[in-house]
Amino acid sequence: MSRGLQARQAMEKERATVQAWKERVGQELDRVVAFWMEHSHDQDYGGFFTCLGRDGRVYDDLKYVWLQGRQVWMYCRLYRKFQRFRHSALLDSAKAGGEFLLRYARVAPPGKKCAFVLTRDGRPVKVQRTIFSECFYTMAMNELWRVTGEVHYQSEALEMMDQIIRWVREDPSGLGRPQLPGSPAAEPMAVPMMLLNLVEQFGEADEELAGRYAELGDWCARRILQHIQRDGQAVLENVSEDGEELPGCLGRHQNPGHALEAGWFLLRHAARKGDPELRAHVVDKFLLLPFRSGWDPEHGGLFYFQDADNLCPTQLEWAMKLWWPHSEAMIAFLMGYSDSGDPALLQLFYQVAEYTFRQVSAACSSQLGCGGEAGRQGQACLGQWEEVAGRALGVGVGA
């Protein structure tokens, strides 16, 4: 057999494998969306229930603003990107969720600070002194504008974006988090990550907004890259404001799934800028490095937390295998493969996907309420399915 024929056969086999995974992921996405459409909608007060058991029963009716915003975003994204989801029930549900957020998410309008948790009927329960509720609110509003064309959604998104930028780059006092004298001035990677995600959200097919936020995107990327420490051998979750390693457990803290998520955010940024050197650097440091250190060689799966010196992490749940880090890994490796054509990245996608579908999805079958978290050996620990699972399941599935 000639080498050319062998190469063609190998390519055909690879295409068949990719197609099989595409179909499997598509089926899973359909089941996940059907589950949430059936069980999560609050027909009385609006918004979404997110604490659901395996059979879809609500076990707590508190409404978390992060998840409200994510579900609105997901419904809109599916409606906009996939022909099979372009139906009025999905769009109407997204709009109902968006209106719930507009009415109740902000704690004291016209102030911009959003609640973290609301009661079923929209009364604030808890506020976090971070930007993340506001970020997911902003993503939801921008996507609603994209699918409806209703200007007030985009106006709300842009106003909130301006406020988030002021909190991060100018004056954080509105977040209500005092800088105590004994507290280190730390920068968690999550802050520039989420800002970069918003930059990409606004800049999609919108050159005016892409230009407006271009400098902010570059700033975010530089801040994220500062988390590569120890001569390029570790991605640390927290660094000082000038990009140096912090002492103690805070400084040694690692989150492999979060680093992989940062990786695919940076890959999108590199693609927008047309920067192959940045792409290669990101693949090396934010995809391969955290995956190699974070993958459990004995039982498979990604550890939730790690300590850079291999000491015991302070988080008791460090060895658990949560759904979302594996989602981020699947997205990152597919995106890296799509951008570079490197077959090694596709093989890593297969490795993560096989573990995830075996330990999380397949064990649940049609009971899509299970599998949010697993113990180190893969046993199910909590009976809930994270609302944003579809974000990963949508990657690589053609419209």
Side-chain angles (χ1 to χ4, degrees):
M1 183 182 297
S2 69
R3 291 184 180 179
L5 179 58
Q6 288 178 327
R8 285 194 297 273
Q9 289 179 338
M11 289 178 62
E12 289 172 2
K13 182 179 180 181
E14 192 65 80
R15 279 196 293 267
T17 303
V18 171
Q19 181 63 31
W21 271 107
K22 179 179 177 180
E23 293 173 359
R24 186 176 183 183
V25 168
Q27 292 167 2
E28 192 78 0
L29 175 62
D30 290 344
R31 293 206 302 268
V32 169
V33 173
F35 178 88
W36 287 92
M37 287 287 290
E38 180 179 357
H39 298 295
S40 71
H41 299 175
D42 186 344
Q43 304 296 343
D44 296 324
Y45 292 98
F48 308 108
F49 299 116
T50 55
C51 298
L52 304 178
R54 297 185 182 193
D55 57 0
R57 283 184 292 182
V58 178
Y59 61 82
D60 195 318
D61 63 10
L62 290 175
K63 293 175 178 174
Y64 295 83
V65 171
W66 287 32
L67 299 184
Q68 303 297 309
R70 285 171 165 177
Q71 193 156 343
V72 171
W73 181 91
M74 176 56 64
Y75 280 2
C76 292
R77 194 79 164 189
L78 291 171
Y79 182 89
R80 186 161 66 89
K81 295 286 189 178
F82 296 83
Q83 184 62 44
R84 70 183 187 274
F85 291 116
R86 201 160 294 159
H87 52 78
S88 59
L90 195 69
L91 181 58
D92 291 344
S93 299
K95 291 174 68 175
E99 292 301 319
F100 181 85
L101 284 170
L102 283 171
R103 286 195 302 272
Y104 301 120
R106 291 181 294 167
V107 175
K112 297 297 185 184
K113 194 74 191 81
C114 290
F116 175 62
V117 187
L118 302 167
T119 61
R120 182 182 177 186
D121 59 0
R123 290 169 292 140
V125 174
K126 180 180 179 181
V127 174
Q128 284 189 322
R129 292 177 289 188
T130 65
I131 62 170
F132 304 121
S133 290
E134 293 77 13
C135 288
F136 293 117
Y137 178 96
T138 302
M139 292 172 62
M141 294 300 137
N142 179 259
E143 276 294 330
L144 275 168
W145 167 72
R146 290 178 183 274
V147 297
T148 66
E150 297 180 24
V151 176
H152 72 285
Y153 291 129
Q154 180 72 332
S155 298
E156 189 71 22
L158 289 168
E159 289 178 13
M160 187 65 82
M161 180 66 165
D162 289 344
Q163 179 62 79
I164 293 168
I165 294 169
R166 285 195 293 272
W167 281 332
V168 172
R169 300 189 71 178
E170 299 173 16
D171 180 10
S173 62
L175 295 173
R177 185 175 62 245
Q179 182 62 50
L180 301 175
S183 175
E187 180 176 278
M189 190 163 59
V191 171
M193 276 179 61
M194 279 305 302
L195 263 183
L196 182 59
N197 189 47
L198 290 178
V199 169
E200 295 298 323
Q201 174 75 32
F202 280 112
E204 182 192 347
D206 191 325
E207 291 306 314
E208 179 184 351
L209 287 180
R212 180 193 298 188
Y213 296 126
E215 183 275 332
L216 176 63
D218 291 340
W219 179 87
C220 291
R222 289 195 302 272
R223 304 297 284 196
I224 297 169
L225 291 169
Q226 287 186 152
H227 289 260
I228 304 171
Q229 295 287 320
R230 302 192 174 194
D231 296 323
Q233 297 307 304
V235 177
L236 301 180
E237 191 70 13
N238 303 288
V239 295
S240 70
E241 290 183 336
D242 57 357
E244 299 296 328
E245 183 173 342
L246 295 164
C249 296
L250 181 67
R252 299 193 306 271
H253 180 51
Q254 293 181 289
N255 183 330
H258 216 211
L260 285 155
E261 183 181 13
W264 70 263
F265 287 7
L266 287 167
L267 284 177
R268 290 191 308 179
H269 181 70
R272 178 180 289 277
K273 293 181 69 65
D275 189 339
E277 290 186 6
L278 176 59
R279 181 189 68 202
H281 185 58
V282 169
V283 167
D284 185 37
K285 301 303 181 185
F286 282 90
L287 273 61
L288 299 179
L289 181 63
F291 181 76
R292 288 167 180 157
S293 68
W295 189 260
D296 184 344
E298 183 176 355
H299 299 290
L302 287 164
F303 290 117
Y304 191 10
F305 298 122
Q306 291 183 292
D307 182 284
D309 287 339
N310 293 317
L311 301 172
C312 184
T314 57
Q315 297 83 5
L316 298 179
E317 68 275 26
W318 69 269
M320 293 184 71
K321 312 293 176 57
L322 274 69
W323 167 259
W324 72 262
H326 300 83
S327 296
E328 305 300 347
M330 287 189 283
I331 296 169
F333 290 131
L334 273 184
M335 190 177 293
Y337 172 71
S338 177
D339 289 348
S340 69
D342 183 351
L345 298 176
L346 185 60
Q347 293 303 314
L348 290 174
F349 164 77
Y350 293 153
Q351 180 179 337
V352 178
E354 287 164 0
Y355 172 86
T356 306
F357 277 67
R358 181 177 68 250
Q359 299 299 139
V360 177
S361 177
C364 300
S365 186
S366 61
Q367 299 186 72
L368 292 177
C370 69
E373 291 82 19
R376 182 176 179 188
Q377 297 182 30
Q379 71 276 21
C381 293
L382 295 178
Q384 64 186 67
W385 180 278
E386 188 172 355
E387 183 269 325
V388 294
R391 184 172 81 172
L393 293 170
V395 171
V397 184

